[in-house]
Amino acid sequence: MTAGRRLLLHAPNVHTGGGLVLLQQLLDAWPAQAPLIAWLDQRAKAALQLPAQAEVSWVSPSLASRLGAEVSLARRAKADDRVLCFHGLPPLLCRAEAQLFLQNRNYLGQVPLDEYGWRTRWRNRAEQWISRLYRSSVSCYYVQSPTMARALQAWFGSEPAPLRVLPFVPDLVVPASGEPLAKPFDFVFVADGEPHKNHRRLVEAWQLLAGQGLKPRLAVTLSDRHAALRDWVMQQASVHGLAIHNLPQRPHHEMPQFYADAHALIFPSLGESFGLPLVEAQVLGLPIVASERDYVRDICHPAETFDPESAVSIARAVRRFLQRPEALQAPLTAAEFLSRIDGGEPR
C-alpha cells in the first residue's frame, strides 16, 4: 500500500461463497501497520476473523442500511484516500478515488435473469443501472481472468476500460499423502445454488447416466440459502435412485480434505468471473471435468470438457472420465439401409 494514503475497504453484500473466502484472505493479508477502516456485511460477521486494528461498520442487507453505509463512507473518506469496492459496485456519494474488484458478471448485464425470482431480477437491474451510471468514478477495475477482462471491455464498448487482471487465491494446505484410501465420491461440485451454476442440468445428466446403468457418486454443497433447489435435487435423487449427496458447508481450511474425498471436480457452471474451485482443484492435483468455456481454460487444464447447456454432453464427459465411453452409432451401407426399411428389398 502506498505510504501516506489510506485504503478504505467497502464490502457490503460480500457474505457467502468465493467472495467471502477472498475477503477473508484480504483481511488476513492486511498490513499490521496500516489502518483498516471497513464497511462489511452483517451476515458475514460470525464467519470473518478481523485484524486487531480493524474499525468496522457492519451493514445489514436492507436498503436503508446500504444507503447509510454510502453516506458513512462519503463522510469518512478524505480526498486523497482510495476506496477498494470489493462488492463490485461503485460508490454513490464518495469523492475519493474508487477502485473496484469486479467478480459479479450480473453487474454487466451479461447473465440471463429468467431463472431468478422477481425481487432478484429487479435488484440486479438496479445494480446494473448503478454500475453504468457511476462507472466514470472508478479509476481502475480489478478482474481475475482474461475472460472477465473481455466482458468488461465489451461492456465499455469502444472506450478503453481502465482495468487490470489481478487474480488472487486463498492459501491451501495440501493434505499429507498416506496410504491410498477408497474415496467416498466420484465427483464433487463445490458451488452455491445460483441459477448459472447449472445444478438442474447436472442432475438431468445424472438421470441419463442412471438410465444407462451408471450411477456415479456425486457430492454437492447446497445450503439453506438455496433450500428449494437442494430439496429438488434430493427429491430427484430419491425418485431416480441417483447417488447424489448434499454435504454441509465446511470452513475453507477444511476444503483440501473435502476435495481429497473425490476422484474429480465436476463444474458445469455456465459462466464465472473466476471459478475458485477450479483453481483449488488444480493446485491440489484433482482432475477437473468442466464446461468448455473460456473462463475454464483461463485458469486450469481440465481432464474432460462438455457443453454445459446439454445434459447429454455432460453425461458423455462423465462416461469418458470414468473410462466408460458411450458406444458410437455404427453407420449402415446403402444396401443395409434398404434392407431394413419396409421389411426388405424395395419393389
Side-chain angles (χ1 to χ4, degrees):
M1 297 183 186
T2 306
R5 298 187 68 192
R6 297 189 307 174
L7 180 63
L8 282 59
L9 178 61
H10 196 51
N13 205 37
V14 179
H15 63 97
T16 188
L20 181 61
V21 171
L22 293 180
L23 176 59
Q24 182 62 69
Q25 292 294 304
L26 199 68
L27 294 172
D28 291 343
W30 205 273
Q33 71 278 10
L36 173 55
I37 302 172
W39 289 260
L40 304 179
D41 197 295
Q42 178 73 38
R43 293 166 292 183
K45 189 172 185 178
L48 290 174
Q49 298 179 8
L50 302 174
Q53 80 274 28
E55 179 186 344
V56 175
S57 298
W58 295 102
V59 185
S60 73
S62 70
L63 178 60
S65 184
R66 292 286 293 272
L67 291 176
E70 294 287 344
V71 172
S72 173
L73 174 64
R75 289 174 176 170
R76 292 295 305 274
K78 300 176 182 178
D80 61 346
D81 287 337
R82 291 171 298 149
V83 179
L84 177 58
C85 300
F86 202 71
H87 63 316
L89 290 173
L92 304 182
L93 305 171
C94 180
R95 299 301 180 185
E97 178 186 349
Q99 300 178 337
L100 196 148
F101 184 75
L102 182 61
Q103 55 178 344
N104 190 333
R105 298 182 313 124
N106 288 357
Y107 295 161
L108 305 182
Q110 297 172 345
V111 177
L113 301 177
D114 299 345
E115 295 187 39
Y116 290 85
W118 68 268
R119 291 174 188 250
T120 302
R121 290 199 301 271
W122 278 106
R123 190 190 73 239
N124 271 274
R125 291 191 178 104
E127 291 166 339
Q128 291 167 10
W129 179 79
I130 290 170
S131 296
R132 185 168 291 278
L133 184 64
Y134 290 91
R135 74 183 186 186
S136 61
S137 66
V138 178
S139 66
C140 186
Y141 288 85
Y142 299 111
V143 297
Q144 294 177 283
S145 69
T147 295
M148 195 63 180
R150 288 191 293 271
L152 182 63
Q153 184 57 70
W155 183 66
F156 265 79
S158 59
E159 176 189 354
L163 69 87
R164 296 179 65 189
V165 180
L166 288 179
F168 73 95
V169 296
D171 299 327
L172 286 174
V173 178
V174 180
S177 59
E179 291 296 322
L181 300 175
K183 295 179 182 289
F185 304 111
D186 297 300
F187 299 91
V188 294
F189 180 28
V190 181
D192 60 22
E194 294 297 327
H196 70 276
K197 298 295 185 180
N198 212 16
H199 283 84
R200 292 183 182 274
R201 197 162 282 119
L202 181 63
V203 172
E204 291 174 10
W206 248 245
Q207 293 172 5
L208 290 174
L209 289 167
Q212 299 163 2
L214 288 177
K215 295 188 176 181
R217 299 162 298 167
L218 170 66
V220 297
T221 58
L222 295 169
S223 68
D224 292 341
R225 183 165 170 256
H226 297 100
L229 176 62
R230 179 195 61 200
D231 294 345
W232 178 85
V233 168
M234 300 318 298
Q235 179 190 42
Q236 296 303 305
S238 176
V239 169
H240 298 279
L242 311 178
I244 301 179
H245 307 269
N246 187 65
L247 303 182
Q249 292 184 328
R250 301 186 183 188
H252 188 261
H253 68 271
E254 295 182 9
M255 291 307 294
Q257 185 55 55
F258 181 82
Y259 289 116
D261 285 341
H263 291 286
L265 170 74
I266 192 164
F267 206 76
S269 177
L270 297 171
E272 297 288 327
S273 64
F274 190 45
L276 185 58
L278 296 171
V279 177
E280 294 174 334
Q282 178 103 334
V283 170
L284 296 170
L286 182 68
I288 297 167
V289 179
S291 303
E292 185 54 65
R293 289 287 194 266
D294 290 344
Y295 80 86
V296 173
R297 298 287 182 178
D298 280 343
I299 57 178
C300 71
H301 299 292
E304 295 286 351
T305 61
F306 50 76
D307 175 3
E309 299 188 65
S310 166
V312 172
S313 181
I314 297 172
R316 285 172 172 167
V318 167
R319 292 192 65 130
R320 291 195 302 271
F321 181 81
L322 296 175
Q323 298 184 358
R324 298 282 299 276
E326 191 174 22
L328 298 179
Q329 178 68 53
L332 305 175
T333 65
E336 290 171 331
F337 171 76
L338 291 172
S339 70
R340 296 189 186 187
I341 63 174
D342 291 335
E345 296 289 338
R347 296 185 179 88

